[in-house]
Amino acid sequence: MASTAAEVHHLPATPSTPHHTLLQHALSLARLCPRSTTAFSVGALLVSPTTSAIISDGYSRELPGNTHAEECCLRKFYGTVAAARTAATGVKQLEPKDVDYQDGQVSALFEGYGGEWELDLYTTMVPCSKRMSGLRTCLDRIIEASKVTSPDGKKLIKRVFCGCGEDDRFVKEGNWAEGVLRDAGIEVWWVGGLESECRGVAEMWLEKKTDKPTAAKQEGGFDGKSVEASGAGAGEMPM
Ligand SMILES: [Zn+2]
């Protein structure tokens, strides 16, 4: 619904804000990503908007399988919610590390949730909107989370902060997360000044780097030259 579309914000490189600091922390997580020559290395945080406390975190391939940063961050968060629910109800909840929650299951998990709402998600690269592997995208997962609302109508996730866009080396159609997030009522914030660093870390295991890094464009895209996807290493999964 266009009438409820959320805004897009662009934070300049300076002055540095707590958002820059949190994104730097996400970058430090991205540096922990296990090697893959066929996928980006990304870090993500879920943060309290009132205290700036980090509620969950994740990085690419942290959880077993071909996992993404935002996916790991959300599934670990759901794991803590599931554990709290198990403790409160005495009924063993499914653990997100063992089962991947789908639509409906996530909402059910948050019935009676006593934690914070309107969380901020930080990711060093805009959430993926298509995966060559056909696996569920981070965009889908964030939209799913945004459907979880408090009794007074607050969304579980309100803002997504991004360090850089996604180029078209893997997904030739590019990335359309910004528009989908906005239409779902989630604010998109581009954090200026960290794009080159976020991109450099995202590409750290790829064989071919972006040949024309840029910090100029921050509008959900990336205007560097397209680079052919590198050859897959033995046993490696597509992103
Ligand atoms: Zn993703």
Side-chain angles (χ1 to χ4, degrees):
M1 289 184 290
S3 60
T4 59
E7 293 182 358
V8 174
H9 300 262
H10 296 264
L11 281 177
T14 55
S16 187
T17 68
H19 303 303
H20 293 82
T21 306
L22 284 160
L23 202 62
Q24 288 277 14
H25 185 76
L27 258 172
S28 71
L29 294 173
R31 292 191 174 91
L32 303 175
C33 293
R35 186 177 189 277
S36 169
T37 60
T38 58
F40 292 118
S41 295
V42 178
L45 299 175
L46 208 50
V47 174
S48 159
T50 56
T51 66
S52 294
I54 294 169
I55 291 169
S56 185
D57 60 24
Y59 52 86
S60 308
R61 302 174 293 284
E62 178 186 9
L63 293 180
N66 181 13
T67 56
H68 281 193
E70 302 94 314
E71 171 185 4
C72 292
C73 185
L74 286 171
R75 287 173 69 175
K76 286 165 68 182
F77 174 49
Y78 297 158
T80 63
V81 174
R85 199 169 162 80
T86 297
T89 64
V91 179
K92 182 79 174 78
Q93 303 292 310
L94 297 173
E95 290 289 340
K97 65 178 170 50
D98 301 321
V99 64
D100 194 3
Y101 281 83
Q102 301 293 319
D103 281 320
Q105 290 177 307
V106 173
S107 291
L109 187 65
F110 282 82
E111 287 170 13
Y113 168 69
E116 276 203 84
W117 295 90
E118 300 188 327
L119 304 177
D120 289 331
L121 179 72
Y122 290 80
T123 179
T124 56
M125 179 179 278
V126 66
C128 61
S129 52
K130 178 178 178 178
R131 294 181 66 171
M132 299 314 294
S133 60
L135 292 171
R136 196 157 187 227
T137 64
C138 294
L139 177 60
D140 277 356
R141 293 174 184 279
I142 295 165
I143 296 298
E144 173 192 55
S146 78
K147 293 177 185 167
V148 180
T149 52
S150 69
D152 58 347
K154 289 178 179 165
K155 290 180 184 299
L156 188 59
I157 295 177
K158 186 176 181 184
R159 302 189 290 186
V160 173
F161 293 82
C162 307
C164 72
E166 177 186 357
D167 66 32
D168 60 358
R169 76 178 63 212
F170 295 125
V171 179
K172 297 306 174 197
E173 302 93 322
N175 183 296
W176 53 87
E178 181 185 274
V180 175
L181 290 169
R182 290 185 65 202
D183 287 346
I186 299 173
E187 295 172 25
V188 177
W189 291 64
W190 295 97
V191 181
L194 294 170
E195 186 186 31
S196 293
E197 196 175 356
C198 287
R199 178 159 307 284
V201 173
E203 297 177 343
M204 67 181 182
W205 295 124
L206 302 182
E207 288 169 5
K208 289 190 179 179
K209 317 296 184 190
T210 301
D211 57 354
K212 196 182 79 172
T214 176
K217 188 170 180 182
Q218 287 270 339
E219 295 164 341
F222 175 70
D223 60 5
K225 288 179 186 171
S226 173
V227 177
E228 290 299 312
S230 58
E236 294 208 49
M237 306 271 288
M239 65 174 289

